[in-house]
Amino acid sequence: MTGTAAIVGGGHADWGKRAATWKDLAQEAGKAAFDDVDGVTPADVEGLFVGAVQPERFAFQSHVAPLAAELLGIDVTKMISRTELACASGQAALRYAWLAIASGQLDVALVLGVEKMNLGDDHVAETQSGMTNVLDREFDGVNGLNAPAFFSMFAQRHMHEYGTTREQLAAVSAKNKGHAANNPYAQFQQQVDVDDVLDSYPVAPPLCLLDCSGITDGAAALVLTSEEKARELTDTAAYVTGSGQSCMASNSINNLPSMSAWPQATVAAEEAYDQAGIDDPVDELDVAEIHDCFSISEVIEYEDLGWVPKGEGGQFIEDGRSELDGDIAVNPRGGLLGCGHPLGATGVSQALEVYKQFTGEVESARQVPDSPETGLIHNLSGSGSVHSVMTLARDPQ
Amino acid sequence: MTGHDTDDGADGPPRKTVSVPDTIELPRLLDFYDLQDADHTRIHEFYDRLREGDLSTTQCGDCGALHFPPRVVCPECTSDDLAYVSLPHEGELFAFGAVRGSGPLGMDTPFVTGVVDLDGVDVQLSARIDGADYDDLAIGDPVALRIVDVDGPADHDRVFYQFAPRGDTA
């Protein structure tokens, strides 16, 4: 490796149930990114990395990275790829772009995450069929379980094994949706409290509707450059200081070692912390965007990212330690619970949020206080088989 | 394109109609159940045995690892010397969840899915839990195998498995 890479800006399409196609969303996010970064145009982009999970299933379109290149007028000269890693595709795209830049292969990349998931209210079953195939379709998907039912079993087991409470889970949703209420591109911009969460429809008990992220159309794009190029472009960037990724040899539910823990989150986090020189993440990280596809996910992640001992994640939220003014401000963007979860776009959006927190460009009501300088992003996929963790810093090491 | 014009285009360019069918036969890949015979899968013995009422899986002849789902290569040692062995037909509920709202294509909701610890072996199965409502179940409940015949568009008899609370399996 010859260096690192830095986020120098980016932007979003509006997220939600959009009257727009996959191609529309890709163009909106690309434009937002180029509008945001002075000094970078499509002609400057040498590498294009697209996170997209099921365009074949949701938009009947494959070979989407070259399609995005055409839509955004990018003549790719160095490297083009599309990553599919289910819900963790966005950070995977960013990780490959980082590796390409850090190894000296290119200086300027566009990382684009796009997902079109809403096929119309009469066609939700078609989207659910696609989601069902993320595990082993022959032996898991055939049982028809969807994501809420799958993650509800993690909530059930975590409550059973550690005494985590329903109220603690609801507090995660209330916090993150509260942040999303101040995020103009978020799908769910309504403030809710713990009682609202507990009173919402028990879609997959113990999880209620407001414990779940949405089915979301959305896109996000960011410009990633070499350290040298970043210094030319801007005074404030988000430099990648560490990146870890881990996948266990079990994607099917039939082979999960636990339904209350994600050991791979620990492996990926320790790798990233080691690269970044982080000894005490709770003390050293100012802001984190972690994968709260369901409220229980965030509680497990407090533990398995190494912030609290196993079983104490519920107490972490109850004590307010993940609030904006807590020990680590977690999901000031609004998380997946508030922003929705357009699969391939989420990881890109998480990274962009940390950059925007560094530059102070987010809405003041969700700005992490005291000028955050260090951040973390975390993306998981499938049965929790894959976890990616990246650390970022406002100043290069 | 010109052979089927439906308008002479007097007020503009010629136009025609292209028809899209309202319904089509279920596309092969939207049928969640695999084709299970020897012409289509190398784990057909698993399905053959299940059709006869026996839940089974593969065990490695070299390292002894017991797999589930059945394999053609041992993920522990890469041996392909595998043999089918019967599994217990009873177990306990390790976890379970309800699918409400919209399920996948062709699946009526609500229903319950779960994870079953089979008695006496180190195998955990993902399975539909039949014969009980979510609210009537608890972690640790005893459950037993139920064979499900699949009535659908294939030219051979297909089969799958579910579990149900013990005592409810006639």
Side-chain angles (χ1 to χ4, degrees):
Chain A
M1 301 289 272
T2 58
T4 187
I7 300 165
V8 297
H12 288 85
D14 283 340
W15 289 18
K17 201 179 279 189
R18 292 288 313 278
T21 66
W22 193 98
K23 292 191 289 184
D24 296 336
L25 297 167
Q27 291 171 78
E28 289 178 10
K31 173 180 168 52
F34 290 118
D35 285 353
D36 187 60
V37 182
D38 286 338
V40 173
T41 71
D44 300 307
V45 173
E46 301 162 299
L48 176 62
F49 301 81
V50 179
V53 178
Q54 297 211 37
E56 291 84 354
R57 183 64 247 145
F58 301 147
F60 197 24
Q61 177 69 57
S62 61
H63 209 218
V64 290
L67 180 62
E70 176 184 328
L71 295 169
L72 298 176
I74 299 169
D75 281 319
V76 176
T77 54
K78 301 282 191 181
M79 188 170 174
I80 183 162
S81 79
R82 172 258 181 119
T83 57
E84 188 284 291
L85 205 58
C87 306
S89 299
Q91 190 175 135
L94 174 58
R95 180 174 159 85
Y96 298 151
W98 163 70
L99 284 167
I101 289 171
S103 64
Q105 296 300 308
L106 51 101
D107 287 313
V108 181
L110 187 76
V111 181
L112 170 69
V114 192
E115 213 74 43
K116 171 69 183 176
M117 300 180 71
N118 287 286
L119 307 179
D121 292 344
D122 295 336
H123 301 278
V124 178
E126 196 170 347
T127 298
Q128 292 291 3
S129 288
M131 297 297 288
T132 300
N133 294 348
V134 169
L135 305 177
D136 181 337
R137 192 262 309 138
E138 184 180 7
F139 287 94
D140 295 318
V142 68
N143 300 317
L145 87 171
N146 54 17
F150 175 74
F151 284 91
S152 78
M153 293 194 282
F154 276 73
Q156 181 184 54
R157 288 300 311 184
H158 204 274
M159 294 167 80
H160 179 76
E161 293 173 29
Y162 301 112
T164 302
T165 68
R166 256 303 342 182
E167 288 72 18
Q168 290 168 338
L169 299 182
V172 171
S173 290
K175 169 178 70 72
N176 294 351
K177 287 174 182 289
H179 298 157
N182 294 296
N183 184 341
Y185 69 80
Q187 182 171 14
F188 306 108
Q189 297 185 25
Q190 190 175 357
Q191 200 99 32
V192 302
D193 62 23
V194 167
D195 286 338
D196 293 329
V197 179
L198 298 177
D199 292 341
S200 63
Y201 176 65
V203 65
L207 298 179
C208 298
L209 186 63
L210 294 180
D211 288 297
C212 307
S213 56
I215 294 176
T216 310
D217 308 328
L222 61 80
V223 176
L224 192 76
T225 73
S226 61
E227 195 172 331
E228 185 182 8
K229 182 73 176 175
R231 288 181 201 282
E232 284 175 27
L233 291 167
T234 179
D235 293 334
T236 308
Y239 294 85
V240 179
T241 56
S243 174
Q245 190 179 55
S246 177
C247 174
M248 68 174 104
S250 48
N251 184 55
S252 164
I253 299 171
N254 297 286
N255 289 292
L256 293 179
S258 168
M259 294 192 81
S260 58
W262 286 315
Q264 266 51 44
T266 306
V267 175
E270 286 178 351
E271 175 72 23
Y273 297 156
D274 187 52
Q275 291 175 18
I278 292 173
D279 297 319
D280 182 349
V282 174
D283 184 51
E284 296 177 55
L285 292 170
D286 298 327
V287 55
E289 286 287 322
I290 66 178
H291 198 103
D292 58 329
C293 47
F294 297 88
S295 54
I296 180 61
S297 311
E298 184 166 316
V299 168
I300 294 174
E301 289 151 15
Y302 297 152
E303 300 165 356
D304 294 337
L305 293 172
W307 301 352
V308 289
K310 194 65 203 165
E312 296 180 16
Q315 198 62 46
F316 194 77
I317 178 74
E318 187 174 324
D319 292 345
R321 298 178 66 190
S322 52
E323 300 286 347
L324 282 186
D325 60 355
D327 293 342
I328 303 179
V330 178
N331 288 329
R333 188 178 68 104
L336 288 63
L337 289 167
C339 295
H341 182 28
L343 312 178
T346 287
V348 180
S349 177
Q350 291 175 315
L352 191 52
E353 173 70 11
V354 171
Y355 165 80
K356 297 278 185 186
Q357 288 283 345
F358 288 172
T359 62
E361 292 174 85
V362 306
E363 290 66 28
S364 58
R366 60 187 190 86
Q367 173 69 50
V368 176
D370 304 324
S371 302
E373 295 180 354
T374 56
L376 173 147
I377 55 175
H378 162 264
N379 224 186
L380 70 77
S381 62
S383 59
S385 49
V386 174
H387 290 259
S388 303
V389 174
M390 182 176 278
T391 52
L392 298 155
R394 197 169 67 182
D395 300 310
Q397 288 178 314
Chain B
M1 295 279 284
T2 56
H4 299 90
D5 292 351
T6 55
D7 187 299
D8 64 6
D11 299 321
R15 53 200 307 154
K16 59 183 265 185
T17 298
V18 173
S19 295
V20 177
D22 290 331
T23 58
I24 56 172
E25 195 174 317
L26 182 70
R28 172 85 277 284
L29 290 176
L30 289 180
D31 179 339
F32 275 84
Y33 298 95
D34 264 17
L35 295 176
Q36 299 173 346
D37 61 3
D39 288 341
H40 294 95
T41 176
R42 288 187 55 205
I43 62 165
H44 61 90
E45 186 172 341
F46 168 78
Y47 291 110
D48 293 340
R49 284 169 169 252
L50 192 63
R51 207 171 288 114
E52 299 302 315
D54 179 35
L55 182 68
S56 67
T57 194
T58 51
Q59 184 163 29
C60 180
D62 283 328
C63 77
L66 190 65
H67 321 119
F68 198 88
R71 310 291 186 191
V72 296
V73 170
C74 176
E76 298 295 329
C77 74
T78 71
S79 169
D80 60 2
D81 177 22
L82 311 186
Y84 280 81
V85 295
S86 294
L87 288 171
H89 289 185
E90 298 191 330
E92 288 187 354
L93 263 187
F94 178 77
F96 56 96
V99 177
R100 300 172 175 169
S102 180
L105 287 168
M107 294 193 196
D108 294 332
T109 60
F111 54 82
V112 178
T113 69
V115 177
V116 175
D117 267 336
L118 290 184
D119 290 344
V121 292
D122 186 19
V123 172
Q124 253 186 358
L125 295 171
S126 156
R128 191 78 80 89
I129 307 301
D130 196 28
D133 291 334
Y134 177 88
D135 293 329
D136 297 331
L137 295 168
I139 288 175
D141 277 359
V143 292
L145 179 75
R146 176 174 285 193
I147 306 290
V148 177
D149 292 309
V150 179
D151 180 15
D155 59 8
H156 58 275
D157 292 335
R158 295 188 296 172
V159 67
F160 210 69
Y161 54 89
Q162 298 180 349
F163 281 77
R166 232 176 275 176
D168 189 52
T169 312

